[in-house]
Amino acid sequence: MFATKLRTTDGVYVLAPNSTLWNQPVRNFTRNGVRRGDITLSIGSWNDIDLAQKTMLGVAGSERRVKREPAPIAFVATVGDASVAITLRYWTTAADFFATQIDLTKRVKQAFDAEAISVPAPPPEARQETAATRQ
């Protein structure tokens, strides 16, 4: 009576005192019916940025769950010494959000592979650690 039972999207049970709910914002990820998704992948700085953006938009354009309005966009998110992070931003229904994000991430990576758009190699010390852990 003095508390509200909630279940989070990851299945966690939350018992929140009503006083907390009156004094804190409550985020509802499904109420509006649509959600914005962002997928950011880093590519080596030697790759063609325009081709990477075009490839991401091609994948989004072929996905039926991606809303046409507002149209998906692909943009440079950050630039590093050896990498460029490119973000694909799109809208989908709240019900399709997780499945769309999972599928698009995989398909973008596969499309990058098909276009020979490469990801930056890990630094040499990270490669040595990986090789040592496999032995």
Side-chain angles (χ1 to χ4, degrees):
M1 183 158 152
F2 298 105
T4 300
K5 298 174 188 177
L6 302 168
R7 186 183 60 176
T8 62
T9 57
D10 57 354
V12 176
Y13 173 84
V14 177
L15 183 65
N18 287 341
S19 60
T20 300
L21 295 176
W22 283 106
N23 297 314
Q24 299 293 322
V26 175
R27 298 179 76 185
N28 184 328
F29 292 98
T30 59
R31 180 170 182 151
N32 292 331
V34 294
R35 288 203 43 202
R36 188 189 83 197
D38 289 350
I39 296 170
T40 301
L41 293 178
S42 292
I43 62 172
S45 58
W46 54 89
N47 289 285
D48 183 338
I49 294 172
D50 292 329
L51 176 60
Q53 289 175 295
K54 180 181 172 186
T55 302
M56 287 179 124
L57 290 172
V59 170
S62 68
E63 174 54 61
R64 65 172 179 74
R65 295 171 292 190
V66 171
K67 299 282 187 190
R68 301 301 169 234
E69 287 296 323
I73 61 169
F75 57 91
V76 174
T78 61
V79 177
D81 291 338
S83 67
V84 176
I86 301 179
T87 297
L88 172 66
R89 179 165 287 166
Y90 62 93
W91 288 84
T92 188
T93 65
D96 287 335
F97 178 77
F98 290 111
T100 303
Q101 188 170 48
I102 290 166
D103 292 344
L104 280 179
T105 301
K106 179 179 178 180
R107 289 182 51 215
V108 167
K109 172 61 170 93
Q110 291 171 332
F112 277 9
D113 290 347
E115 293 289 343
I117 300 169
S118 58
V119 298
E125 59 274 4
R127 285 188 291 229
Q128 290 171 356
E129 289 173 18
T130 303
T133 30
R134 288 186 190 150
Q135 295 177 357

